[in-house]
Each structure stands twice: as structure tokens, then as C-alpha cells.
């Protein structure tokens, strides 16, 4: 069973003696797994395809107030940094199964990664994208089912969007 749609190669240009021949590099593989677990059911390997991974870091600022604004000569109210928000990783792609296969197992694992465990919180996960990795929590899963088995009961094609929050390192 394939858990990703075929293709998805991105082109890169290699320069050299051949005069700029085209070489293709496949999009990186992804893995989402429960940190510290050796159970194969606690991992999901997939390829984001179409390959779209967004990594967003934000900071929070507040306006400093009138007294400070008066001291600096007026104009737009100055702002002061208060904190950094957790980095957010958003992964978009599609799970696809051929023949009589389904992608229900992948959806079940994603739901398991989002639900609380015996500790009362969702599990800490590791998201691996190519050679990079982050400690994360899965905070949102959007699954748009597009194709089902002939009996119409299980999905064979699902476009997904995963939202992950990066946990503090160290």
C-alpha cells in the first residue's frame, strides 16, 4: 500500500562539465513518530505531495503607551517585544492507496497522535523532514476524502493538512 501520491519530484539544475544538465531530486520523506516509542504502530512514514511544508515563527509585540510615545517625539506608537510564540509547521499532501487498499490506517494513526494519552496530554512526537527534525505536538488535522473503496466505506485518497507546534528544545 502506498501512503503518498506518486511523482512530486522537484527539479534542480546541476552545473558542471556537461553544460548545465538537469537533475531531479525527489521531495523529502517525512516521518511522524511518538518520541521514545519502539512500537511500529507509533510511527507514520509519508511523503508530502504536492510537497508543501511551511515553517512559521512569530513574535508577540505590544504598544508601549502614551508616555513613551511622548518622549520619542510622537508618530506611530512604538512597540515592544514580549515573547516568541511556538514555531508552527504546516504539512500539506495526499495519502493514496491503489487497488483494494485504503488509507484508513494513516488516518487512524494521525488521530492517535492528536488524542490524549494516560498522562492526560497528547504524546510528544518527532517530525522528520528530510535530514531535519523537530520535537512537536500535532494540534490540527484536516482530512478531505476524495476517493473511497467500491463499497464506499473506507477512503483510498485523502488530501490532508497537518498543523504541528514545535516544542521547546533542551
Amino acid at each position: 500500500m502506498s501512503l503518498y501520491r506518486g511523482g512530486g519530484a522537484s527539479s534542480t539544475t546541476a552545473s558542471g562539465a556537461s553544460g548545465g544538465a538537469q537533475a531531479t531530486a525527489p521531495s523529502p520523506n517525512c516521518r511522524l513518530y511518538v518520541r521514545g516509542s519502539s512500537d511500529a504502530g507509533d510511527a507514520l512514514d509519508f511523503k508530502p505531495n504536492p510537497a508543501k511544508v511551511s515553517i512559521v515563527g512569530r513574535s508577540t509585540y505590544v504598544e508601549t503607551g502614551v508616555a513613551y510615545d511622548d518622549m520619542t517625539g510622537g508618530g506611530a506608537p512604538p512597540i515592544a517585544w514580549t515573547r516568541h510564540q511556538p514555531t508552527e509547521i504546516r504539512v500539506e499532501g495526499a495519502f493514496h492507496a491503489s487497488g483494494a487498499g485504503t488509507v484508513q490506517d494513516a488516518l487512524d494513526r494521525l488521530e492517535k497522535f492528536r488524542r490524549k494519552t494516560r498522562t492526560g496530554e497528547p504524546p510528544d512526537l518527532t517530525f522528520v523532514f528530510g535530514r531535519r527534525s523537530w520535537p512537536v505536538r500535532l494540534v490540527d488535522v484536516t482530512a478531505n476524502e476524495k476517493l473511497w473503496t467500491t463499497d464506499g466505506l473506507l477512503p483510498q485518497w485523502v488530501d490532508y493538512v497537518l498543523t504541528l507546534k514545535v516544542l521547546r528544545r533542551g
Side-chain angles (χ1 to χ4, degrees):
M1 172 178 69
S2 170
L3 288 182
Y4 55 88
R5 196 163 63 189
S10 59
S11 295
T12 57
T13 303
S15 59
S18 62
Q22 286 282 331
T24 58
S27 58
N29 289 322
C30 293
R31 181 179 182 102
L32 192 60
Y33 64 92
V34 176
R35 291 190 345 203
S37 176
S38 60
D39 183 1
D42 287 341
L44 178 62
D45 295 303
F46 59 100
K47 194 175 283 254
N49 192 352
K52 183 170 182 183
V53 175
S54 303
I55 302 170
V56 179
R58 293 185 176 97
S59 295
T60 301
Y61 291 86
V62 295
E63 293 183 13
T64 56
V66 177
Y68 183 78
D69 189 40
D70 289 341
M71 292 175 17
T72 60
I79 58 174
W81 174 86
T82 58
R83 67 183 173 92
H84 291 298
Q85 296 175 6
T87 300
E88 183 176 284
I89 301 174
R90 188 178 159 124
V91 183
E92 298 179 32
F95 294 135
H96 176 259
S98 57
T102 73
V103 297
Q104 189 60 50
D105 182 55
L107 297 176
D108 291 344
R109 287 183 196 197
L110 289 174
E111 188 63 20
K112 177 182 176 181
F113 294 162
R114 203 177 60 77
R115 296 283 181 208
K116 47 183 194 175
T117 61
R118 291 178 304 203
T119 65
E121 296 187 11
D124 290 345
L125 306 169
T126 297
F127 174 64
V128 180
F129 180 61
R131 294 184 180 177
R132 298 177 289 169
S133 66
W134 298 266
V136 298
R137 287 256 174 99
L138 179 60
V139 295
D140 191 45
V141 176
T142 302
N144 297 308
E145 297 181 6
K146 303 262 181 151
L147 183 68
W148 299 266
T149 55
T150 55
D151 58 11
L153 298 177
L154 295 172
Q156 288 188 303
W157 188 296
V158 174
D159 291 338
Y160 63 83
V161 178
L162 308 178
T163 305
L164 310 162
K165 292 281 185 180
V166 176
L167 304 173
R168 288 186 178 222
R169 296 181 189 223

